[in-house]
Amino acid sequence: MAGAYDDRDGKIWMDGAMVDWRDANVHLLTHAMHYASSVFEGERCYNGKIFESRRHSERLRYSAECLDFEIPYTVDEIEAAKQQVLAANGFTDAYVRAIAWRGAGEDMGVAAKRNPVRLAIAAWEWGNYYGDAKMKGARLDIAKWKRPSPETAPSHAKAAGLYMIATMSKHAAEAKGCSDAMMFDYRGYVAEATGANIFFVKDGEVHTPDPDAFLNGITRQTVIGMLNDRQIKVHERHIMPEELEGFEQCWLTGTAAEVTPVGQIGDYNFEVGALTRDIAQAYERLVRQ
Ligand SMILES: Cc1ncc(COP(=O)(O)O)c(C=O)c1O
């Protein structure tokens, strides 16, 4: 049984070298700890191959640019580092977490140009993100926090600071016995869950929020491609809260969540229908190809 995340056997890649798991530490006066100057990736390795690995590495560098810093490693170097981590830990099926941040340095104010940018990559075995929801459908709360406008925060980056409201929303959801929370955006449109995108089905067609104020997930884009291949119409659009009542099926997509059916959001119920099951199974096959 694996212990706490800072107390495990294994190796972590840190700034170009493999270090023992328990030695992968940073100083208290790390800029990112105080000001959220940190971006990360969540990836899954299946049968020895990370699904869409390069796209994740590219997005990591892009997220850093959104936060005004440059990761001092190329995509190729990040790719090689991920492979090194998997090999060093003997994993063929694992979750991979890459994280880049402004470290400790000359600056301890808000500005941090003089502090080094750091990169680390860890991997661990991680099963279903929503436990048994994969079969029976997850129960979602409705978050009181709203996804911010792209003029308020870098909505399209996978940036640590955007997860502050996600953690609070998820805690509130779990206190009510839910697995997660669905969030609206700053305009009141349906946005996504705390760490996954959302899809709905009605009359054989699929509706999913326009990703103009949240992360346009790689899994989301993959699933839209799968729906296009099946010639199922996908409407990427703004979705009003009152529309939830009319949707028949719902699922979440994300690297960690994969394709997870949703059975309930607040007082609205959804069936785990044929299309949801088909897409979930087809995604499982695709990532293992
Ligand atoms: C807030 C948020 N939205 C969406 C996603 C889904 O993104 P992806 O499919 O690229 O993993 C994630 C997970 O990475 C996330 O954290």
Side-chain angles (χ1 to χ4, degrees), residues 40-44 51 55-56 59 95 97 129 147 155 157-159 162-163 166 183 191-198 214-222 253-258 283:
F40 66 100
E41 273 306 315
E43 318 181 24
R44 274 194 194 267
F51 183 64
R55 280 176 78 183
H56 282 285
R59 187 170 71 182
Y95 179 84
R97 170 59 56 90
Y129 187 64
R147 285 280 174 215
S155 313
K158 198 164 163 63
L162 294 168
Y163 289 81
M183 305 179 80
E192 57 168 352
T194 62
N197 295 126
I198 196 159
F214 57 84
L215 194 72
N216 181 6
I218 291 170
T219 320
R220 177 186 183 278
Q221 294 172 51
T222 303
T253 64
T255 297
E258 300 171 303
Y283 181 77

Side-chain angles (χ1 to χ4, degrees), residues 18-282:
M18 300 300 299
V19 300
D20 284 337
W21 192 286
R22 293 178 185 82
D23 297 335
N25 300 313
V26 294
H27 194 272
L28 176 65
L29 297 180
T30 290
H31 190 269
M33 271 267 286
H34 300 253
Y35 304 111
S37 49
S38 162
V39 296
F40 66 100
E41 273 306 315
E43 318 181 24
R44 274 194 194 267
C45 180
Y46 299 93
N47 292 342
K49 189 164 165 247
I50 299 175
F51 183 64
E52 296 287 12
S53 186
R54 268 196 101 74
R55 280 176 78 183
H56 282 285
S57 297
E58 285 161 4
R59 187 170 71 182
L60 183 69
R61 286 185 54 88
Y62 165 78
S63 296
E65 281 165 28
C66 293
L67 268 67
D68 194 30
F69 67 85
E70 190 185 347
I71 296 174
Y73 297 94
T74 62
V75 167
D76 284 338
E77 286 167 338
I78 298 169
E79 288 297 293
K82 291 191 285 193
Q83 290 310 318
Q84 240 183 303
V85 173
L86 290 167
N89 292 285
F91 291 145
T92 52
D93 287 83
Y95 179 84
V96 178
R97 170 59 56 90
I99 179 159
W101 71 99
R102 285 195 190 272
E106 302 295 308
D107 289 320
M108 201 42 217
V110 172
K113 289 275 186 203
R114 294 180 299 172
N115 290 13
V117 173
R118 305 190 54 187
L119 177 67
I121 300 167
W124 59 88
E125 287 172 322
W126 217 8
N128 284 349
Y129 187 64
Y130 291 113
D132 62 358
K134 270 241 157 108
M135 274 66 77
K136 57 181 201 196
R139 243 183 92 200
L140 266 52
D141 186 25
I142 294 182
K144 71 171 187 182
W145 298 98
K146 308 271 190 275
R147 285 280 174 215
S149 151
E151 293 180 334
T152 303
S155 313
H156 299 108
K158 198 164 163 63
L162 294 168
Y163 289 81
M164 174 182 63
I165 54 173
T167 298
M168 292 190 286
S169 301
K170 193 149 174 164
H171 285 175
E174 287 180 351
K176 295 179 196 167
C178 297
S179 312
D180 201 354
M182 190 200 73
M183 305 179 80
F184 294 116
D185 74 12
Y186 65 104
R187 296 160 295 195
Y189 297 133
V190 171
E192 57 168 352
T194 62
N197 295 126
I198 196 159
F199 287 76
F200 300 97
V201 181
K202 188 181 178 185
D203 300 330
E205 298 189 344
V206 172
H207 303 256
T208 190
D210 199 2
D212 58 3
F214 57 84
L215 194 72
N216 181 6
I218 291 170
T219 320
R220 177 186 183 278
Q221 294 172 51
T222 303
V223 163
I224 289 174
M226 289 162 56
L227 292 162
N228 288 337
D229 290 346
R230 287 164 171 69
Q231 272 147 26
I232 292 170
K233 194 148 186 52
V234 181
H235 304 269
E236 290 186 74
R237 62 179 181 87
H238 292 148
I239 295 176
M240 301 294 289
E242 51 271 25
E243 293 185 64
L244 291 173
E245 191 162 13
F247 291 132
E248 298 145 12
Q249 301 176 42
C250 175
W251 69 74
L252 301 176
T253 64
T255 297
E258 300 171 303
V259 177
T260 296
V262 173
Q264 199 181 339
I265 304 177
D267 294 332
Y268 305 107
N269 292 301
F270 307 93
E271 56 157 335
V272 181
L275 183 58
T276 305
R277 280 198 300 271
D278 173 32
I279 294 296
Q281 285 161 10

